[in-house]
């Protein structure tokens, strides 16, 4: 039998730590779980645990993310045919995961009840989590916009999506804090009716006077293989469109690219961070929880055409010419015919790259004046 490589050994140890941590957190809860207990369950040393995860909270986030990404999908009901029906199905999928009053206080169903207290306890996690919620709301809003009836006037439905997620996250917290208080049917009904809520849906692009103009470029574009976290399929990084490299403090900026590109252009949010050990699992968890509900509620044709890529190693960012990243990174490139034709950095980079005023037909967002109109998503 051949010996395992160093990488294979590390991967096997990581899997053992995750499995042991899930058992420890399930039995004792996050606060009472011990790293020594996890190491003992895994048959490893305390140092081996820390060599794979920087701390107990990072390990907790990783366990929850792993469970969310591997959760078997229940038989899919018929997806919603209207935005209201889709939101109803989305909410039903959400509340179906909530713990019941009869569940064991420290059983698997309550494994995630310490998530929000850990997120809000530290600015290092609270600020990225805010932006991850902005990203989830954008994805949900785009899905709702794609279900607009033929001939209906365009509306930006991100504010409606924010209201829906507020209701559902509130229901999650009440289910953890006051088991039995929540009536799931009322939560579902509330979310369905929010589809018709008229909120401020105007989209105002950033003023071109205050953002950096995109710089013309002519560079080869050879991105590494990556996966789209929304669809679970390989990301389409070589098509025409915008690739936005965004730190976890700047995720909401990707909407500037989404609103500026013309129909058919790809927009990809490449998520980077200066704390990959703790924050990448948190990002994986936020998107995986959303994706599971999206798949059960919306027809495939309504899934948002916004790709999300986790760039834990920084390889995609480096290919885009962004070798150093942090949680405040905001950079974007415009890709056409396999080449980078424009790039921008700093606040407003997504809008600038998407509306780069370069010569040639079909260039994403090109206009006579270099400004773009507010427009609904494809």
């Amino acid at each position: 039998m051949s010996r395992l490589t160093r990488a294979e050994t590390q991967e096997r140890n990581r899997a053992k730590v995750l499995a042991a941590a899930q058992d420890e957190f399930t039995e004792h809860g996050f606060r009472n779980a011990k790293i020594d207990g996890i190491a003992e369950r895994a048959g490893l040393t305390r140092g081996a645990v820390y060599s794979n995860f920087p701390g107990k909270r990072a390990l907790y986030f990783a366990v929850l993310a792993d469970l969310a990404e591997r959760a078997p999908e229940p038989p899919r009901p018929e997806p919603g045919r209207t935005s209201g029906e889709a939101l109803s199905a989305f909410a039903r999928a959400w509340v179906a995961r909530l713990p019941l009053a009869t569940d064991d206080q420290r059983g698997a169903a309550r494994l995630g009840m310490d998530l929000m207290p850990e997120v809000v306890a530290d600015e290092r996690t609270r600020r990225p989590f805010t932006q991850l919620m902005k990203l989830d709301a954008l994805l949900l809003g785009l899905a709702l916009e794609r279900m607009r009836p033929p001939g209906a006037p365009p509306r930006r439905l991100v504010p409606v999506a924010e209201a829906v997620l507020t209701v559902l996250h509130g229901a999650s917290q009440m289910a953890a804090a006051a088991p039995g208080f929540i009536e799931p049917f009322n939560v579902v009904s509330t979310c369905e009716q929010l589809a018709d809520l008229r909120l401020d849906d105007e989209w105002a692009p950033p003023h071109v006077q205050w953002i950096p103009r995109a710089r013309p470029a002519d560079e080869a574009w050879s991105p590494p293989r990556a996966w789209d976290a929304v669809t679970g399929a390989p990301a389409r990084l070589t098509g025409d469109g915008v690739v936005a490299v965004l730190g976890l403090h700047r995720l909401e900026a990707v909407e500037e690219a989404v609103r500026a590109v013309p129909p058919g252009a790809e927009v990809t949010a490449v998520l980077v961070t200066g704390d990959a050990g703790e924050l990448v699992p948190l990002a994986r968890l936020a998107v995986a929880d959303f994706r599971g509900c999206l798949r059960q509620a919306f027809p495939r044709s309504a899934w948002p055409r916004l790709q999300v890529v986790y760039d834990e190693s920084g390889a995609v960012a480096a290919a885009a010419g962004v070798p150093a990243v942090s949680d405040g990174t905001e950079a974007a490139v415009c890709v056409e015919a396999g080449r980078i034709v424009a790039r921008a950095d700093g606040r407003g980079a997504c809008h600038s790259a998407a509306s780069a005023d370069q010569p040639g037909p079909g260039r994403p967002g090109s206009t006579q004046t270099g400004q773009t109109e507010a427009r609904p998503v494809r």
Side-chain angles (χ1 to χ4, degrees):
M1 182 176 179
S2 60
R3 294 180 59 184
L4 296 176
T5 66
R6 180 182 178 87
E8 289 171 337
T9 299
Q10 186 173 20
E11 184 61 31
R12 184 178 68 174
N13 286 345
R14 181 182 175 86
K16 291 169 69 175
V17 170
L18 281 171
Q22 180 180 338
D23 291 341
E24 181 79 3
F25 292 138
T26 299
E27 183 175 340
H28 298 292
F30 173 77
R31 301 207 187 289
N32 294 325
K34 304 296 183 184
I35 292 294
D36 287 339
I38 294 171
E40 183 177 353
R41 289 175 187 268
L44 299 169
T45 65
R46 180 185 179 93
V49 175
Y50 280 117
S51 71
N52 284 279
F53 300 93
K56 188 171 77 167
R57 185 169 64 187
L59 184 48
Y60 181 53
F61 291 165
V63 166
L64 295 178
D66 216 44
L67 289 172
E69 290 175 340
R70 295 183 181 183
E73 292 189 17
R76 296 185 189 177
E78 187 71 22
R81 291 169 294 180
T82 66
S83 57
E85 290 177 355
L87 284 181
S88 176
F90 188 92
R92 284 197 303 274
W94 186 289
V95 300
R97 306 176 309 194
L98 299 183
L100 302 174
T102 54
D103 289 332
D104 189 306
Q105 184 67 16
R106 282 306 177 193
R110 293 186 173 274
L111 184 61
M113 67 184 301
D114 291 314
L115 173 64
M116 290 308 297
E118 283 306 304
V119 167
V120 303
D122 193 335
E123 178 68 13
R124 291 180 303 168
T125 49
R126 186 166 61 246
R127 189 173 177 187
F129 188 76
T130 299
Q131 289 296 305
L132 288 165
M133 293 302 97
K134 290 278 191 181
L135 178 61
D136 279 355
L138 175 60
L139 291 167
L140 180 56
L142 297 180
L144 290 170
E145 290 172 19
R146 288 173 66 84
M147 296 194 72
R148 184 175 66 247
R155 288 178 59 200
R156 176 177 176 264
L157 294 176
V158 176
V160 170
E162 291 173 345
V164 170
L165 291 177
T166 298
V167 170
L168 294 176
H169 277 283
S172 296
Q173 293 310 297
M174 289 302 293
F181 173 79
I182 292 295
E183 171 49 61
F185 177 81
N186 292 340
V187 174
V188 171
S189 180
T190 298
C191 290
E192 180 177 5
Q193 294 179 57
L194 287 176
D196 297 322
L197 191 64
R198 301 297 302 194
L199 297 174
D200 181 11
D201 59 5
E202 292 296 324
W203 170 254
H207 199 289
V208 294
Q209 182 179 356
W210 307 112
I211 63 174
R213 290 186 63 85
R215 305 184 301 278
D218 185 14
E219 308 166 24
W221 171 237
S222 300
R225 183 178 176 84
W227 291 87
D228 175 17
V230 179
T231 63
R236 304 176 302 277
L237 294 178
T238 56
D240 292 358
V242 172
V243 176
V245 181
L246 298 170
L248 294 185
H249 293 174
R250 294 295 303 148
L251 300 185
E252 63 186 316
V254 74
E255 187 171 3
E256 297 174 8
V258 169
R259 301 302 179 186
V261 296
E266 298 283 0
V267 177
T268 303
V270 178
L271 278 53
V272 296
T273 174
D275 186 3
E278 185 162 277
L279 296 183
V280 168
L282 183 61
R284 287 170 47 213
L285 173 60
V287 177
D289 274 346
F290 166 83
R291 182 183 69 189
C293 296
L294 176 82
R295 289 186 171 189
Q296 295 184 57
F298 287 82
R300 185 65 178 84
S301 60
W303 289 12
R305 292 191 60 187
L306 168 60
Q307 300 185 117
V308 175
V309 169
Y310 308 126
D311 193 21
E312 190 169 358
S313 68
V316 181
V322 188
V325 298
S326 71
D327 290 307
T329 295
E330 184 174 342
V333 294
C334 177
V335 175
E336 182 182 308
R339 299 190 69 79
I340 296 174
V341 297
R343 62 171 59 254
D345 305 281
R347 298 233 170 183
C350 291
H351 180 269
S352 293
S355 56
D357 191 13
Q358 302 294 329
R363 199 65 58 84
S366 61
T367 66
Q368 292 290 327
T369 64
Q371 300 191 31
T372 46
E373 300 178 14
R375 62 179 113 182
V377 74
R378 317 176 265 297

